[in-house]
Amino acid sequence: MEHAFPEDEIRPISCVPLTRDNSNPRRSELNDPLGNYSLTLIDSLSTLAILASGPSEKALNYFQEGVELLVEEYGDGTKGPNGQGKRSRGYDLDSKVQVFETVIRGVGGLLSAHLFAIGELPITGYTPNLVDGKIVWPGGWVYNGQLLRLACDLASRLLPAFSTTTGLPYPRVNLRHGVPFYLNSPLSGIDPEWCKDTEHEWCQELFREPRETCSAGAGSLVLEFTVLSRLTGDARFEQLAKRAFWSIWERRSSLGLVGAGIDAETGLWTGPFTGLGASIDSFFEYAVKSYVLLSGSDHPPASTNYGFAPPLTDEQHDPESFLEVWHASHTAIKRHLYRSGMYVHPHYIQADLYTGASRAFWMDSLSAFFPGLLTLTGDIDEAIETHLLFTALWNRYSALPERWSTATGSVEGGLGWWGGRPEFIESTYHIYRVTQDPWYLHVGEMALRDIKRRCWARCGWSGLQDVRSGELNDRQESFFLGETTKYLYLLFNEDHPLNKLDAPFVFTTEGHPLIIPKSKRSTRSSVGTWLDHELHNDTCPAAPRPLPLTVSVTAARKDLFHAANLARLQFMPAPGSSESPIVEFSNDHPSISLSDVRSPSNYTYYPWTLPLNLIPLDATCRKITPKLTFDITFPSLPNTILTPGLLQRVGNGVFVNNMGGLRLNMIQDVPMLLHAGHGDGDLYRVQAINHIPLGKDEKVFLAKAVMENVVNTMDPNFLQVRDPTMMEIVFDLPNDASESDTNSQEPAGYSYPKKANPGAQIVMDGKPDGSSQMKFAFGQLLQQVSSILQDPAPAPSPLPSKPISRHYIPAITPSGLGSAPIPDWPEAPSVDATGAAPEGYLLWSSVFVTDQNCDEPLASSVPRKHQIIIIKRGGCSFGDKLKNIPAFAPTRTSLQLVIIVSYDNEGGDGWLTRPLLDSAQLTTSGLPRHNPIPMVMVGGGEDTYEVLGRAESVGIKRRYTVQAQGVLISNLIII
């Protein structure tokens, strides 16, 4: 305040203000948050209010004086003469700022301070002194809502950024002029067509204006804008913030992941990367905290439409919808971003938005928020294990580098600065509040001493330009006082009223406490139309109890030093004594001690953050589980040139056109789920093919013809095994039949169009069809393979006279005494090595369709003249259905296969359950059948039944899996 107010920030080493760089408007790291509106004071008011609950009265005085100074500079938010301040009327400033930073720092700071001022958030010993309905502070100054009006003024100046049809706000706005720099905005006042026809430099500058916002920037406005709407009665803010949140979520990938950058005008992701940190982090945070803040609260009318995007639905207003976004996001994160303990210690990676394949192995300091969020959602164990790695990194660097690589164990890309970020300390605070484990008090003490030792400067606290060298950057970010110091204070102040407040309040992503006042809430029942409470246990578990003779549950964890190992602490030398510029300040300052000059870290396993007397003397650590990986390499064939075309990406994996020179990187990390959900070891998975990483749900497709002359059929590392249970029923339909009257009766399978439409895409409903996870992998066996087909290969055999389309339906064989083995029939043609769709005649051409076949035997001529019999499931046992088929002499033209069509939603939303023939097959006369009839069951109900009845020919195709060293490769599919 002495050296920089009313400017935004201070240079703590130079003792001069830090302001916007008007000479370089593109300097976003400085100009985005700094808007010439006294940012540090606004960001610090809620911290002062929290400190005011301490023993000293100074903090409350500072809080009230800060509010008065702010009103003096920017007015009281009214339209009269009192609305004019020394600097401006409200925030009528020619400053181009980032919408996200202005909302979370500016609007959020003003709202939180207002809630403290009116007593909605607690300050020990402070009760608003109401005189004639106004709050009178010492000295006679009257508080009558000035901060709320200023917050509304600032937020209103951001609304032009929402002038998009996507619902996503533009990333930046001028507080005075709106968005004249976004050419396509209806509020720009510029005709885009005029600019297209001119070379004017001004127009060219508009074309270069970045439109890219991010998931965090667009999706993290709900808390501040909702509280503002509830306090002012202006529903625009809440509606627009929620619309932006849902606009992000609606654009998630098929894996349930959201990306980082997104174009505000087109709604398209600007890159394929996803993760937990920068540009994404607070989207997840606001999904959870919006649920907390809005629970039990009414919302504006859903039909109200503000901006240019469609109005919101009741479901999008429902608090539980936000919670479901978190559950879906967390599931996707655990599936695609989470790396388990087989990678030394659990952590998260950067992955491909669309495939889930790993893309980078760094973690940034912003992602240190995640353990705290997991704590709020009751996922305590995951929070603790995640926090351990950040603790180890802080222990190593005495701060957190902006990015650190788990692969190399060093700072990533030279990004070694720490600007005073609060996320690690925030998570430490939240975990301690839940666990009451003294470990986290020692973590906080370590961080506090390191900050005091390394970051102190004459006029404030400087960020570190490099955590390795200790070089300072001469900037005190506003969030250091707004968040970092706040969480440290709350960590050590057990009795602070916020730590005991039983109300739906939240800390925003900028650390500002917010709550909807009781007078602005009305109890309502949740819509609750799509949240399955049985799937989630949304409760906070009781604090874990320490083991006997121990005081810390965390210190007793068997994986405690796995995190230290991943952080490479065992390779760090002991630093010895370390001098600090704070030494010269310590002689006459009572808060500085010798321990502040030296970090408590010694870069070894002990003491970590705990004193030695709190660690068991002979404690042991669980052995680190090694990664089970190996490579399978196939020889290059003579005269083969390796080209990119040998591997072609399809919608859910990679199609291999040639195995010569192919290299498969295997990892054993897929749980083997057997019947009743019991596990028995892990399956292998192809995690990379020719150094191309694959996602956990991606598959590698191999045609049988591709494997010829390359694969040794007896190779134990690549053993082809025929599936005895699952197969495909293949059948041909006339194109006129399949197009004219089967659109609403598509079988529960997929099809290859032939001749009449050789380049069309496979039709497939993608439903699970197996009785286990291994079987389920085949449910999308050929999905989108046709998308990679080039010109179809010449037909290997004459085609039928009229165009047909080929279809595939998953089928399962029965078990029990009455089950007959499937003969070694010739299979339907496969995709050949060129990738051409299969062609050629199928095995059987005579199909008979009956009902449930329970009441009376079929005519004796049916099994003699028909090769396939289609029977509906139900009405009687499978054995009785077969018993009603008369005996016959086996010939090439007689009955070969019975197909049972299930109506129990199998092959669709459920899996096929293997039918049971518990007794030997009998004839209609009750005698044992000498030649048992092979039978399979398919799903799909009436749709499948009707389509099979029109089949011109039918065949089968066996399924094959590949085993490596006797273990199934889960995502390798032979077609």
Side-chain angles (χ1 to χ4, degrees):
M1 296 297 290
E2 178 183 349
H3 297 284
F5 184 80
E7 303 301 339
D8 288 316
E9 290 181 350
I10 189 173
R11 293 190 180 275
I13 299 175
S14 308
C15 294
V16 296
L18 178 63
T19 60
R20 295 171 55 83
D21 187 354
N22 294 322
S23 64
N24 183 9
R26 298 288 187 186
R27 191 179 173 187
S28 58
E29 81 282 357
L30 188 66
N31 293 336
D32 277 354
L34 306 189
N36 286 337
Y37 55 82
S38 306
L39 176 62
T40 294
L41 175 58
I42 293 176
D43 226 357
S44 303
L45 285 176
S46 63
T47 302
L48 290 171
I50 288 174
L51 293 174
S53 291
S56 173
E57 296 181 359
K58 287 184 178 180
L60 181 58
N61 294 334
Y62 288 151
F63 170 73
Q64 294 174 338
E65 289 173 7
V67 174
E68 295 175 25
L69 286 172
L70 202 63
V71 172
E72 185 179 324
E73 291 291 328
Y74 302 98
D76 66 358
T78 63
K79 295 183 179 181
N82 291 335
Q84 179 64 50
K86 290 181 179 179
R87 173 165 280 205
S88 64
R89 175 177 287 277
Y91 295 105
D92 182 23
L93 302 163
D94 188 11
S95 299
K96 181 181 178 183
V97 296
Q98 190 188 73
V99 173
F100 170 63
E101 293 288 359
T102 307
V103 169
I104 65 171
R105 300 198 201 193
V107 177
L110 292 167
L111 289 174
S112 184
H114 168 73
L115 292 169
F116 276 111
I118 63 175
E120 290 291 342
L121 289 172
I123 298 176
T124 301
Y126 170 74
T127 302
N129 181 23
L130 291 175
V131 178
D132 297 330
K134 300 176 182 179
I135 300 173
V136 181
W137 284 348
W141 198 84
V142 175
Y143 182 79
N144 57 15
Q146 293 94 326
L147 294 179
L148 176 60
R149 291 193 293 272
L150 287 174
C152 188
D153 176 85
L154 181 58
S156 298
R157 297 177 184 279
L158 305 178
L159 295 186
F162 291 84
S163 58
T164 65
T165 57
T166 61
L168 301 168
Y170 285 114
R172 294 171 182 86
V173 65
N174 186 290
L175 295 178
R176 176 176 293 166
H177 302 295
V179 288
F181 32 79
Y182 292 116
L183 190 60
N184 294 323
S185 169
L187 303 182
S188 68
I190 306 168
D191 184 0
E193 296 300 323
W194 178 81
C195 264
K196 287 181 180 179
D197 299 329
T198 180
E199 298 295 328
H200 196 284
E201 175 60 27
W202 183 63
C203 282
Q204 300 307 311
E205 182 68 20
L206 294 181
F207 283 125
R208 290 192 293 267
E209 180 67 30
R211 304 190 308 257
E212 179 184 351
T213 184
C214 62
S215 293
S220 306
L221 312 174
V222 177
L223 300 181
E224 293 86 354
F225 271 20
T226 295
V227 170
L228 181 59
S229 284
R230 303 303 173 90
L231 292 174
T232 63
D234 188 341
R236 292 179 300 166
F237 305 107
E238 181 175 351
Q239 294 268 1
L240 292 172
K242 288 180 176 177
R243 176 69 269 174
F245 177 91
W246 290 112
S247 294
I248 291 290
W249 182 242
E250 289 162 0
R251 289 165 171 81
R252 66 192 182 278
S253 73
S254 61
L255 303 180
L257 299 169
V258 296
I262 188 170
D263 190 303
E265 288 185 351
T266 65
L268 300 177
W269 298 111
T270 57
F273 280 68
T274 186
L276 289 180
S279 300
I280 304 176
D281 49 359
S282 54
F283 176 82
F284 306 127
E285 181 183 358
Y286 274 45
V288 174
K289 293 181 178 180
S290 294
Y291 165 74
V292 174
L293 181 73
L294 298 170
S295 294
S297 177
D298 209 341
H299 59 71
S303 59
T304 304
N305 186 19
Y306 298 107
F308 300 85
L312 299 174
T313 64
D314 278 332
E315 188 173 86
Q316 290 173 325
H317 277 296
D318 190 346
E320 294 197 8
S321 297
F322 288 91
L323 183 61
E324 182 60 23
V325 169
W326 160 250
H327 286 312
S329 297
H330 189 212
T331 299
I333 289 168
K334 288 296 294 284
R335 174 65 179 164
H336 301 288
L337 306 184
Y338 178 81
R339 303 185 97 187
S340 67
M342 72 162 48
Y343 294 90
V344 183
H345 185 80
H347 58 278
Y348 306 88
I349 62 170
Q350 317 300 308
D352 188 281
L353 174 63
Y354 304 103
T355 68
S358 56
R359 287 290 179 260
F361 303 99
W362 50 261
M363 44 195 288
D364 61 10
S365 60
L366 283 168
S367 60
F369 88 100
F370 200 59
L373 182 62
L374 291 169
T375 304
L376 296 180
T377 60
D379 301 290
I380 306 300
D381 191 68
E382 186 182 351
I384 291 174
E385 69 179 17
T386 304
H387 186 268
L388 274 177
L389 182 55
F390 287 107
T391 304
L393 286 177
W394 189 289
N395 196 274
R396 174 177 173 179
Y397 293 106
S398 296
L400 284 186
E402 184 68 8
R403 283 187 187 178
W404 181 82
S405 172
T406 58
T408 65
S410 58
V411 172
E412 172 80 8
L415 304 180
W417 64 80
W418 181 72
R421 291 197 186 279
E423 286 76 17
F424 171 64
I425 298 167
E426 173 189 358
S427 289
T428 304
Y429 161 73
H430 284 301
I431 298 179
Y432 177 69
R433 294 307 309 161
V434 170
T435 65
Q436 295 293 296
D437 191 326
W439 168 276
Y440 299 99
L441 294 178
H442 287 279
V443 172
E445 181 186 14
M446 172 182 69
L448 177 59
R449 286 179 171 171
D450 283 340
I451 293 170
K452 293 170 73 173
R453 174 176 61 86
R454 307 187 78 191
C455 301
W456 178 87
R458 284 192 307 133
C459 297
W461 302 91
S462 175
L464 297 170
Q465 187 62 33
D466 193 317
V467 297
R468 296 162 295 187
S469 66
E471 177 188 356
L472 301 178
N473 65 9
D474 199 16
R475 180 179 182 183
Q476 180 182 287
E477 296 259 17
S478 71
F479 54 67
F480 179 77
L481 297 181
E483 296 183 81
T484 308
T485 58
K486 178 183 298 170
Y487 285 120
L488 279 170
Y489 180 77
L490 289 172
L491 172 65
F492 295 111
N493 191 336
E494 291 273 355
D495 297 324
H496 194 280
L498 277 183
N499 287 334
K500 300 179 180 297
L501 182 60
D502 185 14
F505 84 98
V506 294
F507 289 99
T508 70
T509 194
E510 190 68 12
H512 296 302
L514 289 181
I515 192 172
I516 297 176
K518 291 182 180 179
S519 61
K520 304 296 182 181
R521 295 201 305 265
S522 58
T523 303
R524 60 185 294 270
S525 59
S526 173
V527 175
T529 56
W530 65 304
L531 181 61
D532 191 345
H533 293 277
E534 294 183 359
L535 296 178
H536 310 292
N537 182 24
D538 297 309
T539 59
C540 187
R545 301 182 65 179
L547 297 173
L549 305 180
T550 68
V551 296
S552 170
V553 173
T554 302
R557 287 177 64 99
K558 293 293 186 180
D559 62 347
L560 176 66
F561 297 119
H562 295 187
N565 184 280
L566 184 57
R568 282 71 166 183
L569 285 188
Q570 68 271 31
F571 300 127
M572 298 298 109
S577 61
S578 175
E579 296 301 321
S580 166
I582 205 171
V583 172
E584 64 187 59
F585 187 63
S586 63
N587 292 330
D588 58 353
H589 201 287
S591 68
I592 304 298
S593 65
L594 185 62
S595 61
D596 293 320
V597 179
R598 298 182 176 89
S599 170
S601 308
N602 65 0
Y603 304 105
T604 61
Y605 286 148
Y606 298 102
W608 262 72
T609 62
L610 286 178
L612 282 173
N613 64 327
L614 296 184
I615 297 178
L617 180 62
D618 296 318
T620 60
C621 179
R622 185 174 64 234
K623 184 179 179 180
I624 294 176
T625 305
K627 292 183 294 183
L628 301 177
T629 64
F630 66 93
D631 288 347
I632 300 177
T633 304
F634 299 92
S636 298
L637 298 177
N639 302 319
T640 298
I641 301 176
L642 297 180
T643 65
L646 297 179
L647 298 177
Q648 294 178 299
R649 185 169 289 281
V650 294
N652 61 337
V654 173
F655 186 78
V656 179
N657 282 324
N658 192 315
M659 292 188 66
L662 188 70
R663 182 175 182 177
L664 302 177
N665 179 244
M666 316 296 297
I667 185 169
Q668 193 170 8
D669 70 347
V670 181
M672 182 186 297
L673 299 181
L674 303 179
H675 296 288
H678 299 297
D680 183 20
D682 290 336
L683 307 179
Y684 282 115
R685 172 175 64 90
V686 182
Q687 68 170 348
I689 178 169
N690 282 13
H691 303 292
I692 301 173
L694 299 180
K696 289 184 178 179
D697 292 338
E698 288 194 285
K699 299 175 176 62
V700 177
F701 296 98
L702 288 173
K704 286 184 65 177
V706 170
M707 301 172 61
E708 296 177 0
N709 303 321
V710 177
V711 178
N712 181 351
T713 57
M714 302 304 294
D715 185 349
N717 288 321
F718 204 81
L719 182 63
Q720 180 178 318
V721 180
R722 188 163 72 180
D723 192 327
T725 304
M726 297 297 299
M727 64 179 61
E728 311 295 326
I729 298 298
V730 188
F731 60 98
D732 288 339
L733 285 180
N735 266 350
D736 55 353
S738 62
E739 294 174 2
S740 61
D741 58 355
T742 64
N743 289 334
S744 62
Q745 297 178 334
E746 192 66 29
Y750 38 87
S751 63
Y752 266 117
K754 295 177 57 182
K755 282 299 181 185
N757 189 11
Q761 190 173 3
I762 299 172
V763 179
M764 180 175 181
D765 70 353
K767 301 294 193 298
D769 62 271
S771 59
S772 71
Q773 190 179 43
M774 292 179 288
K775 304 282 189 294
F776 170 69
F778 290 103
Q780 299 185 357
L781 187 61
L782 300 172
Q783 183 180 7
Q784 296 185 356
V785 171
S786 64
S787 66
I788 65 167
L789 300 181
Q790 308 301 321
D791 294 332
S797 59
L799 290 171
S801 57
K802 56 183 177 179
I804 61 171
S805 60
R806 181 153 294 174
H807 300 257
Y808 296 71
I809 299 180
I812 190 168
T813 60
S815 62
L817 292 175
S819 60
I822 302 296
D824 198 12
W825 290 315
E827 295 187 32
S830 300
V831 175
D832 63 23
T834 67
E839 297 181 333
Y841 286 110
L842 297 179
L843 196 58
W844 306 302
S845 58
S846 177
V847 180
F848 181 85
V849 179
T850 184
D851 204 351
Q852 294 180 341
N853 203 37
C854 293
D855 298 332
E856 57 185 17
L858 298 174
S860 60
S861 60
V862 170
R864 289 187 285 107
K865 296 183 178 180
H866 296 88
Q867 297 162 311
I868 301 293
I869 295 180
I870 312 295
I871 302 176
K872 291 182 177 180
R873 183 180 181 181
C876 59
S877 68
F878 296 111
D880 288 341
K881 295 177 186 293
L882 296 181
K883 183 178 179 181
N884 282 331
I885 299 177
F888 60 96
T891 66
R892 293 175 61 89
T893 59
S894 65
L895 179 62
Q896 306 292 315
L897 180 67
V898 170
I899 301 176
I900 305 293
V901 180
S902 174
Y903 282 68
D904 291 346
N905 200 30
E906 295 187 309
D909 293 333
W911 292 353
L912 283 169
T913 302
R914 195 172 187 184
L916 174 64
L917 290 171
D918 54 0
S919 59
Q921 293 188 27
L922 303 175
T923 64
T924 54
S925 58
L927 299 175
R929 193 181 291 275
H930 292 296
N931 298 292
I933 304 171
M935 183 195 93
V936 297
M937 188 172 71
V938 299
E942 192 66 27
D943 293 346
T944 299
Y945 180 78
E946 293 291 334
V947 175
L948 283 174
R950 292 194 295 274
E952 288 198 345
S953 56
V954 179
I956 68 164
K957 186 166 181 58
R958 305 302 293 260
R959 290 183 171 183
Y960 296 86
T961 60
V962 176
Q963 293 181 356
Q965 303 170 0
V967 179
L968 178 69
I969 303 176
S970 63
N971 64 335
L972 186 60
I973 311 299
I974 298 177
I975 59 177

